Amino acid sequence: MNIGDVAQRSGLPAKTIRYYEEIGLIRPQRGENGYRRFREQDLHKLAFLGRARALGFTIEDCRTLIALYEDESRESGQVKRVAEEHLHQIDDKIAQLQSMRTTLGHLIHACAGDHRPDCPILEDLAKDVPEEAASASEGVR
Amino acid sequence: MNIGDVAQRSGLPAKTIRYYEEIGLIRPQRGENGYRRFREQDLHKLAFLGRARALGFTIEDCRTLIALYEDESRESGQVKRVAEEHLHQIDDKIAQLQSMRTTLGHLIHACAGDHRPDCPILEDLAKDVPEEAASASEGVR
DNA sequence: TGTGGGGCCTCCAGTCACTGGAAGGTCAAG
DNA sequence: CTTGACCTTCCAGTGACTGGAGGCCCCACA
């Protein structure tokens, strides 16, 4: 199989597959013409990667998960730990986004959205800076 | 005010403030020693930026919002449109994350997480590739 | 046998919004 | 005069790709 075939069958762009080789996630063989030659096991691994990425696992997580997958003596607790860690990060992100969503929703609701210049959204963004410089108010990054 | 002062009062890291100058969001003056000199209006703008960023607006959105803020003849509808567009993107992201969350939650629930190697998480990730692209004879899912 | 159009290759640059660090100038206190 | 905090610029790196240039390879068709 050439890269175009695996791209189609795995659903991953050829560019991404080359990138995965570059960072050592896969090691396809090479033909005499220099073309990558993929075997079924490569395709399998790419599909694994595609699904893990679709669940939001980082590339490093994927590396770990593949290593565990190939390790006969793994303990499912190891896998579960990685997944739970990731779940927590997803939850954090959702919470952060929902907080933004709430605030933004209120502001949008309060804004007439007409031809006049008065706008609660801008007014909120331009609120005065609290004068207590010393006390720390930690923002989002 | 030097950069350290505005950093503290705006809650933004000095690095970020320098970056904002580099991309033209702010234009602080300079002292004879080469230090940036910030006025109250610069601080105000940085606070505006900090809040907009905390709501998840992109830098380009921020540029637009500041321009609207400074434009006396703006229409609040313009602001509202930007905010609504952004809200949609937040909603999309939340939906995507919640979908991941659901799947991942199921998998984690199904995984014993003990010393044995059997793991539904890995099994799911390693599911067979659907034969859709190559053969096109099988039924779809 | 030539030609045209894919497909494949590598390498480089860009994305987004910072962040870290090196190397060095400036300032106020002791 | 030294120390140390603060400031400067410049360069590189982050994550996970993505786009594009320039060039080789392969096959079908005339």
Side-chain angles (χ1 to χ4, degrees):
Chain A
M1 273 185 291
N2 283 342
I3 200 167
D5 305 316
V6 270
Q8 192 160 37
R9 291 182 60 190
S10 69
L12 295 171
K15 276 271 183 190
T16 299
I17 296 171
R18 290 195 195 98
Y19 173 68
Y20 285 173
E21 181 190 21
E22 191 187 317
I23 62 172
L25 279 177
I26 51 167
R27 281 182 216 287
Q29 300 177 318
R30 293 286 177 141
E32 291 187 0
N33 54 11
Y35 286 18
R36 289 168 183 80
R37 270 190 357 206
F38 297 84
R39 291 158 299 172
E40 285 297 327
Q41 67 191 72
D42 295 316
L43 175 58
H44 191 71
K45 212 161 171 177
L46 285 170
F48 186 105
L49 287 167
R51 266 188 299 269
R53 292 287 301 126
L55 284 179
F57 285 105
T58 65
I59 291 288
E60 283 317 299
D61 282 344
C62 291
R63 229 185 268 282
T64 306
L65 290 171
I66 282 193
L68 286 170
Y69 181 62
E70 292 175 343
D71 177 7
E72 302 274 312
S73 72
R74 69 176 166 266
E75 303 186 4
S76 68
Q78 299 176 274
V79 184
K80 192 167 184 173
R81 228 168 295 127
V82 172
E84 280 173 338
E85 174 81 18
H86 178 44
L87 185 67
H88 280 138
Q89 295 193 6
I90 288 178
D91 283 341
D92 288 351
K93 230 175 204 167
I94 289 176
Q96 196 188 347
L97 285 170
Q98 271 171 346
S99 155
M100 287 179 189
R101 211 230 103 94
T102 301
T103 304
L104 198 55
H106 289 330
L107 292 177
I108 288 173
H109 183 72
C111 175
D114 57 16
H115 60 287
R116 288 169 301 168
D118 316 85
C119 177
I121 301 172
L122 292 180
E123 278 160 25
D124 184 86
L125 290 172
K127 273 184 312 201
D128 282 344
V129 185
E131 273 304 317
E132 335 132 34
S135 72
S137 65
E138 197 56 30
V140 186
R141 253 159 260 179
Chain B
M1 274 185 288
N2 283 341
I3 200 167
D5 304 315
V6 269
Q8 191 160 36
R9 290 183 61 189
S10 69
L12 296 172
K15 276 272 184 191
T16 298
I17 296 172
R18 289 195 195 96
Y19 172 68
Y20 285 172
E21 181 191 21
E22 191 186 318
I23 62 173
L25 279 177
I26 51 167
R27 281 182 215 287
Q29 300 177 315
R30 294 287 178 141
E32 290 186 0
N33 53 13
Y35 286 18
R36 290 168 183 81
R37 270 189 356 205
F38 296 83
R39 290 159 299 172
E40 285 298 326
Q41 66 189 71
D42 295 317
L43 175 58
H44 190 70
K45 211 160 172 178
L46 286 169
F48 185 106
L49 288 168
R51 264 187 300 269
R53 293 286 301 126
L55 285 179
F57 285 105
T58 65
I59 291 287
E60 283 318 299
D61 283 343
C62 291
R63 227 186 270 282
T64 305
L65 290 172
I66 282 192
L68 286 170
Y69 181 62
E70 292 176 342
D71 177 7
E72 302 275 313
S73 72
R74 70 175 165 267
E75 303 186 4
S76 68
Q78 299 176 274
V79 183
K80 193 167 184 173
R81 227 169 294 127
V82 172
E84 280 173 338
E85 174 80 19
H86 178 45
L87 185 67
H88 280 138
Q89 295 193 4
I90 289 178
D91 282 342
D92 288 351
K93 228 174 204 168
I94 289 176
Q96 195 188 348
L97 286 169
Q98 270 170 347
S99 156
M100 288 180 188
R101 211 229 103 94
T102 301
T103 305
L104 198 56
H106 290 330
L107 292 176
I108 287 172
H109 183 72
C111 176
D114 57 16
H115 58 287
R116 288 169 301 169
D118 316 85
C119 176
I121 301 172
L122 292 181
E123 278 160 25
D124 184 85
L125 291 173
K127 274 184 312 199
D128 282 344
V129 185
E131 278 296 326
E132 48 171 311
S135 62
S137 61
E138 300 296 317
V140 282
R141 292 190 307 107

